[in-house]
Amino acid sequence: MEDDLLADVRSFSFENPLTEEEKELLYLRARSAGLTCCGCAHASFLCKLVHSLRCLIKSRRANRDSSVPGEDSDLCVGIIGMGHMGRQLLTSLLEKSGIKPSQIKISSRTTDSAVEFIQKGVECLFDNRRLAAWADVLFLCSLPSHLPKVCADLHSHLSKSCLVYSFTSAVPVNRLAQLLGHDFILKPQYDFVACDTADVVLTCTHLTTALTDHFLIKASCPLTMSSGIYLGLSWVCAVLYSLLNICTSTSLGSSDALSLINIILKEKWPLAVDLNTHSFISASSTLLTEEPFPWISLADAQTKETPLLCFLSSSTSM
C-alpha cells in the first residue's frame, strides 16, 4: 500500500538524486535486468526441452518393449550458487517451468540465501560434489572468484551425460571445459545491440511477472531479440547438440534421435524444417539407422563452425 502511495512521487524515485552524468548510465540497469530476464527464460526453456525429450525417449522405449523397465523421466536440476542470479533462476524454475521442488537441489555456502527455498521443498546439500553426482542439468551461478574452487570440487565427479550450464560470464567455455574436465557445457554468450525498446525490461521489476508478459517473452526470443540483447544461432545450435547428446547417452539410434528432436522442434517452432543426419554431422559421415550419433563436444560446437550452424544459417524458417 505504501508503495502505491509513493509511486507517483518524483522525489522518491530512483532517478531523482542522480546527476546528469549518472543518468547517462541508467541504460546499465536495463542491461542488467534484461540479462537476468533473458537468462532465466532461456534456462527454463532449455529445461523444458530436455524434460520433453526424456519423456519421449521413455515413451518410445516402453512402446517397443513393455518388458523393459522404463527409466525415470523426471529431470534432476542442480544449482550451485545462491547469489542474485541463482535465486532468480531458482524462482523462475519453480514458478514457470513446471519443475517440482523435489526435482531441484541447490548448493550454497550459507543457509541465509537458501532458507525461503528450503521451506518450499527444495533441498540444499551444501556439497558441490553430491549435487554434481545427482543432477542431469547443473547450473553454475557462482561468482568468477569462486569458480576455481567450484570447478576443483566438480572435477571428475560429473557424469558424462550431465549438462553443465554456466552463467559465469568471465570464463570462456573452452577454459571452463579444462577446469571441469568435462565437455558437455553450455554457456550463453550475450551481445548488446542498439534497440529503441531496450528499456522495456525495466517496466517489470518482478522476474516471474516479466516471464508472463507477452511482449517481454517475445523480446527474449534468442533468434528475434528486440530487447537490445542478442543471443543468436550459436546458442540454438548448442541446445540442439545437447538434445542429440542426450539421445546418444541413452544409446538411442540415429533415426529415433532425429525423429524425437524433430517432434520437439515442431511443437516449439511449427515452421521449422526437419533436421537430418547431415544437419548435425559432416556430409562425409555415414550412420546406420540403429547406430547412435557420435558424442559432440559442446565446447567445440560453441567455438567452431559446425554443420548445424551452416544448416540453420541458411534456413529461412529459422
Side-chain angles (χ1 to χ4, degrees):
M1 186 64 178
E2 182 182 351
D3 291 340
D4 294 336
L5 291 173
L6 300 177
D8 297 321
V9 181
R10 182 174 177 78
S11 60
F12 282 89
S13 69
F14 173 82
E15 293 83 358
N16 184 64
L18 300 180
T19 65
E20 291 303 315
E21 290 183 352
E22 290 170 334
K23 288 180 180 179
E24 292 179 1
L25 301 177
L26 282 175
Y27 74 95
L28 294 175
R29 288 184 68 212
R31 285 190 174 185
S32 177
L35 283 172
T36 300
C37 181
C38 292
C40 291
H42 299 150
S44 297
F45 181 64
L46 171 70
C47 287
K48 286 186 176 183
L49 291 179
V50 174
H51 177 67
S52 295
L53 179 61
R54 288 166 61 93
C55 289
L56 287 173
I57 292 173
K58 179 180 179 180
S59 175
R60 179 155 297 194
R61 285 185 163 170
N63 289 338
R64 289 186 173 175
D65 189 352
S66 58
S67 65
V68 176
E71 298 177 0
D72 187 3
S73 60
D74 281 348
L75 184 66
C76 297
V77 178
I79 301 176
I80 294 179
M82 280 288 104
H84 173 72
M85 190 64 214
R87 292 195 305 271
Q88 294 293 324
L89 173 62
L90 181 49
T91 299
S92 64
L93 289 176
L94 288 173
E95 297 189 18
K96 298 301 174 188
S97 72
I99 296 176
K100 297 174 289 188
S102 59
Q103 294 174 246
I104 304 176
K105 294 182 182 180
I106 59 178
S107 181
S108 177
R109 294 187 304 159
T110 64
T111 58
D112 294 345
S113 58
V115 170
E116 65 173 297
F117 300 108
I118 294 173
Q119 292 172 346
K120 294 178 180 179
V122 175
E123 184 179 356
C124 186
L125 299 180
F126 303 104
D127 187 327
N128 294 338
R129 292 181 177 178
R130 282 181 59 201
L131 185 61
W134 172 83
D136 298 311
V137 178
L138 182 64
F139 290 100
L140 298 185
C141 302
S142 54
L143 294 172
S145 59
H146 297 163
L147 194 63
K149 182 183 184 308
V150 170
C151 289
D153 287 344
L154 300 181
H155 196 283
S156 74
H157 288 81
L158 290 161
S159 69
K160 186 178 180 66
S161 61
C162 177
L163 175 58
V164 175
Y165 195 103
S166 176
F167 281 110
T168 307
S169 59
V171 182
V173 65
N174 283 332
R175 176 57 178 159
L176 192 57
Q178 291 176 345
L179 291 172
L180 290 172
H182 189 73
D183 66 0
F184 198 22
I185 304 170
L186 214 167
K187 183 180 180 299
Q189 185 64 47
Y190 293 99
D191 293 314
F192 298 100
V193 295
C195 179
D196 292 337
T197 58
D199 62 348
V200 66
V201 290
L202 289 178
T203 62
C204 191
T205 56
H206 194 273
L207 176 65
T208 53
T209 304
L211 295 181
T212 60
D213 184 286
H214 176 74
F215 187 80
L216 289 174
I217 291 173
K218 186 176 181 180
S220 72
C221 176
L223 295 183
T224 58
M225 281 187 170
S226 57
S227 62
I229 300 172
Y230 181 71
L231 193 52
L233 281 177
S234 294
W235 183 84
V236 175
C237 289
V239 168
L240 292 175
Y241 276 123
S242 298
L243 300 182
L244 194 72
N245 278 350
I246 290 170
C247 292
T248 299
S249 70
T250 62
S251 301
L252 200 66
S254 58
S255 178
D256 281 340
L258 288 170
S259 172
L260 298 187
I261 291 174
N262 280 318
I263 288 173
I264 291 174
L265 273 181
K266 291 297 183 182
E267 289 177 353
K268 307 301 180 184
W269 295 292
L271 298 180
V273 295
D274 283 340
L275 300 173
N276 56 51
T277 300
H278 296 136
S279 302
F280 287 102
I281 60 176
S282 169
S284 61
S285 303
T286 57
L287 283 177
L288 299 176
T289 301
E290 299 303 319
E291 184 181 359
F293 275 93
W295 184 265
I296 306 295
S297 166
L298 283 196
D300 288 344
Q302 292 168 88
T303 56
K304 300 178 181 179
E305 187 175 88
T306 63
L308 185 57
L309 181 60
C310 295
F311 177 80
L312 296 182
S313 297
S314 63
S315 171
T316 54
S317 64
M318 291 301 288

PDB file of all heavy atoms in Angstrom, residues 86-101:
ATOM      1  N   GLY A  86      21.458 -16.965  -9.028  1.00  0.00           N
ATOM      2  CA  GLY A  86      20.990 -18.273  -8.584  1.00  0.00           C
ATOM      3  C   GLY A  86      19.586 -18.218  -8.016  1.00  0.00           C
ATOM      4  O   GLY A  86      18.745 -19.077  -8.306  1.00  0.00           O
ATOM      5  N   ARG A  87      19.303 -17.194  -7.213  1.00  0.00           N
ATOM      6  CA  ARG A  87      17.964 -17.060  -6.623  1.00  0.00           C
ATOM      7  C   ARG A  87      16.917 -16.749  -7.691  1.00  0.00           C
ATOM      8  O   ARG A  87      15.808 -17.301  -7.662  1.00  0.00           O
ATOM      9  CB  ARG A  87      17.966 -15.964  -5.550  1.00  0.00           C
ATOM     10  CG  ARG A  87      18.767 -16.305  -4.307  1.00  0.00           C
ATOM     11  CD  ARG A  87      18.433 -15.373  -3.144  1.00  0.00           C
ATOM     12  NE  ARG A  87      18.618 -13.972  -3.503  1.00  0.00           N
ATOM     13  CZ  ARG A  87      19.767 -13.319  -3.368  1.00  0.00           C
ATOM     14  NH1 ARG A  87      20.836 -13.947  -2.911  1.00  0.00           N
ATOM     15  NH2 ARG A  87      19.859 -12.036  -3.689  1.00  0.00           N
ATOM     16  N   GLN A  88      17.264 -15.868  -8.626  1.00  0.00           N
ATOM     17  CA  GLN A  88      16.318 -15.531  -9.688  1.00  0.00           C
ATOM     18  C   GLN A  88      16.029 -16.748 -10.571  1.00  0.00           C
ATOM     19  O   GLN A  88      14.883 -17.004 -10.956  1.00  0.00           O
ATOM     20  CB  GLN A  88      16.866 -14.380 -10.543  1.00  0.00           C
ATOM     21  CG  GLN A  88      16.996 -13.060  -9.819  1.00  0.00           C
ATOM     22  CD  GLN A  88      15.637 -12.471  -9.446  1.00  0.00           C
ATOM     23  OE1 GLN A  88      14.675 -12.592 -10.185  1.00  0.00           O
ATOM     24  NE2 GLN A  88      15.564 -11.846  -8.291  1.00  0.00           N
ATOM     25  N   LEU A  89      17.077 -17.508 -10.891  1.00  0.00           N
ATOM     26  CA  LEU A  89      16.903 -18.709 -11.706  1.00  0.00           C
ATOM     27  C   LEU A  89      16.014 -19.717 -10.996  1.00  0.00           C
ATOM     28  O   LEU A  89      15.084 -20.277 -11.594  1.00  0.00           O
ATOM     29  CB  LEU A  89      18.264 -19.329 -12.018  1.00  0.00           C
ATOM     30  CG  LEU A  89      18.233 -20.694 -12.720  1.00  0.00           C
ATOM     31  CD1 LEU A  89      17.560 -20.588 -14.081  1.00  0.00           C
ATOM     32  CD2 LEU A  89      19.641 -21.256 -12.851  1.00  0.00           C
ATOM     33  N   LEU A  90      16.290 -19.958  -9.723  1.00  0.00           N
ATOM     34  CA  LEU A  90      15.505 -20.929  -8.959  1.00  0.00           C
ATOM     35  C   LEU A  90      14.046 -20.502  -8.875  1.00  0.00           C
ATOM     36  O   LEU A  90      13.129 -21.326  -9.024  1.00  0.00           O
ATOM     37  CB  LEU A  90      16.101 -21.097  -7.561  1.00  0.00           C
ATOM     38  CG  LEU A  90      15.415 -22.090  -6.628  1.00  0.00           C
ATOM     39  CD1 LEU A  90      15.170 -23.426  -7.302  1.00  0.00           C
ATOM     40  CD2 LEU A  90      16.252 -22.279  -5.363  1.00  0.00           C
ATOM     41  N   THR A  91      13.808 -19.216  -8.663  1.00  0.00           N
ATOM     42  CA  THR A  91      12.440 -18.708  -8.605  1.00  0.00           C
ATOM     43  C   THR A  91      11.714 -18.940  -9.923  1.00  0.00           C
ATOM     44  O   THR A  91      10.569 -19.397  -9.942  1.00  0.00           O
ATOM     45  CB  THR A  91      12.443 -17.198  -8.276  1.00  0.00           C
ATOM     46  OG1 THR A  91      13.040 -16.992  -7.005  1.00  0.00           O
ATOM     47  CG2 THR A  91      11.024 -16.635  -8.254  1.00  0.00           C
ATOM     48  N   SER A  92      12.379 -18.663 -11.031  1.00  0.00           N
ATOM     49  CA  SER A  92      11.732 -18.840 -12.338  1.00  0.00           C
ATOM     50  C   SER A  92      11.483 -20.312 -12.646  1.00  0.00           C
ATOM     51  O   SER A  92      10.446 -20.670 -13.219  1.00  0.00           O
ATOM     52  CB  SER A  92      12.581 -18.201 -13.446  1.00  0.00           C
ATOM     53  OG  SER A  92      13.827 -18.854 -13.573  1.00  0.00           O
ATOM     54  N   LEU A  93      12.403 -21.195 -12.250  1.00  0.00           N
ATOM     55  CA  LEU A  93      12.203 -22.629 -12.477  1.00  0.00           C
ATOM     56  C   LEU A  93      11.013 -23.150 -11.675  1.00  0.00           C
ATOM     57  O   LEU A  93      10.203 -23.942 -12.173  1.00  0.00           O
ATOM     58  CB  LEU A  93      13.462 -23.407 -12.102  1.00  0.00           C
ATOM     59  CG  LEU A  93      14.676 -23.256 -13.026  1.00  0.00           C
ATOM     60  CD1 LEU A  93      15.869 -24.006 -12.454  1.00  0.00           C
ATOM     61  CD2 LEU A  93      14.363 -23.748 -14.434  1.00  0.00           C
ATOM     62  N   LEU A  94      10.897 -22.701 -10.431  1.00  0.00           N
ATOM     63  CA  LEU A  94       9.807 -23.167  -9.570  1.00  0.00           C
ATOM     64  C   LEU A  94       8.452 -22.653 -10.051  1.00  0.00           C
ATOM     65  O   LEU A  94       7.451 -23.366  -9.983  1.00  0.00           O
ATOM     66  CB  LEU A  94      10.054 -22.718  -8.129  1.00  0.00           C
ATOM     67  CG  LEU A  94      11.169 -23.435  -7.371  1.00  0.00           C
ATOM     68  CD1 LEU A  94      11.404 -22.767  -6.027  1.00  0.00           C
ATOM     69  CD2 LEU A  94      10.829 -24.914  -7.175  1.00  0.00           C
ATOM     70  N   GLU A  95       8.413 -21.420 -10.531  1.00  0.00           N
ATOM     71  CA  GLU A  95       7.135 -20.790 -10.841  1.00  0.00           C
ATOM     72  C   GLU A  95       6.729 -20.905 -12.301  1.00  0.00           C
ATOM     73  O   GLU A  95       5.538 -20.805 -12.608  1.00  0.00           O
ATOM     74  CB  GLU A  95       7.171 -19.311 -10.431  1.00  0.00           C
ATOM     75  CG  GLU A  95       7.362 -19.112  -8.933  1.00  0.00           C
ATOM     76  CD  GLU A  95       7.186 -17.664  -8.512  1.00  0.00           C
ATOM     77  OE1 GLU A  95       6.587 -16.880  -9.285  1.00  0.00           O
ATOM     78  OE2 GLU A  95       7.655 -17.301  -7.415  1.00  0.00           O
ATOM     79  N   LYS A  96       7.700 -21.125 -13.214  1.00  0.00           N
ATOM     80  CA  LYS A  96       7.364 -21.051 -14.636  1.00  0.00           C
ATOM     81  C   LYS A  96       7.739 -22.268 -15.478  1.00  0.00           C
ATOM     82  O   LYS A  96       7.342 -22.348 -16.631  1.00  0.00           O
ATOM     83  CB  LYS A  96       8.032 -19.813 -15.257  1.00  0.00           C
ATOM     84  CG  LYS A  96       7.560 -18.485 -14.655  1.00  0.00           C
ATOM     85  CD  LYS A  96       6.064 -18.316 -14.836  1.00  0.00           C
ATOM     86  CE  LYS A  96       5.541 -17.081 -14.120  1.00  0.00           C
ATOM     87  NZ  LYS A  96       4.067 -17.024 -14.150  1.00  0.00           N
ATOM     88  N   SER A  97       8.487 -23.208 -14.928  1.00  0.00           N
ATOM     89  CA  SER A  97       8.956 -24.315 -15.772  1.00  0.00           C
ATOM     90  C   SER A  97       8.169 -25.600 -15.592  1.00  0.00           C
ATOM     91  O   SER A  97       8.291 -26.526 -16.391  1.00  0.00           O
ATOM     92  CB  SER A  97      10.436 -24.598 -15.473  1.00  0.00           C
ATOM     93  OG  SER A  97      10.573 -25.210 -14.204  1.00  0.00           O
ATOM     94  N   GLY A  98       7.372 -25.685 -14.526  1.00  0.00           N
ATOM     95  CA  GLY A  98       6.653 -26.930 -14.255  1.00  0.00           C
ATOM     96  C   GLY A  98       7.493 -27.938 -13.500  1.00  0.00           C
ATOM     97  O   GLY A  98       7.022 -29.049 -13.201  1.00  0.00           O
ATOM     98  N   ILE A  99       8.741 -27.593 -13.182  1.00  0.00           N
ATOM     99  CA  ILE A  99       9.613 -28.494 -12.430  1.00  0.00           C
ATOM    100  C   ILE A  99       9.245 -28.425 -10.949  1.00  0.00           C
ATOM    101  O   ILE A  99       9.104 -27.351 -10.378  1.00  0.00           O
ATOM    102  CB  ILE A  99      11.092 -28.108 -12.627  1.00  0.00           C
ATOM    103  CG1 ILE A  99      11.473 -28.289 -14.093  1.00  0.00           C
ATOM    104  CG2 ILE A  99      12.007 -28.953 -11.741  1.00  0.00           C
ATOM    105  CD1 ILE A  99      12.886 -27.842 -14.411  1.00  0.00           C
ATOM    106  N   LYS A 100       9.090 -29.583 -10.335  1.00  0.00           N
ATOM    107  CA  LYS A 100       8.687 -29.634  -8.926  1.00  0.00           C
ATOM    108  C   LYS A 100       9.873 -29.372  -8.004  1.00  0.00           C
ATOM    109  O   LYS A 100      11.017 -29.647  -8.375  1.00  0.00           O
ATOM    110  CB  LYS A 100       8.090 -31.018  -8.629  1.00  0.00           C
ATOM    111  CG  LYS A 100       6.821 -31.336  -9.410  1.00  0.00           C
ATOM    112  CD  LYS A 100       6.363 -32.763  -9.182  1.00  0.00           C
ATOM    113  CE  LYS A 100       7.297 -33.747  -9.861  1.00  0.00           C
ATOM    114  NZ  LYS A 100       6.789 -35.140  -9.814  1.00  0.00           N
ATOM    115  N   PRO A 101       9.607 -28.841  -6.805  1.00  0.00           N
ATOM    116  CA  PRO A 101      10.695 -28.594  -5.843  1.00  0.00           C
ATOM    117  C   PRO A 101      11.533 -29.834  -5.568  1.00  0.00           C
ATOM    118  O   PRO A 101      12.746 -29.726  -5.356  1.00  0.00           O
ATOM    119  CB  PRO A 101       9.952 -28.130  -4.583  1.00  0.00           C
ATOM    120  CG  PRO A 101       8.688 -27.521  -5.092  1.00  0.00           C
ATOM    121  CD  PRO A 101       8.298 -28.361  -6.287  1.00  0.00           C
TER     122      PRO A 101
END
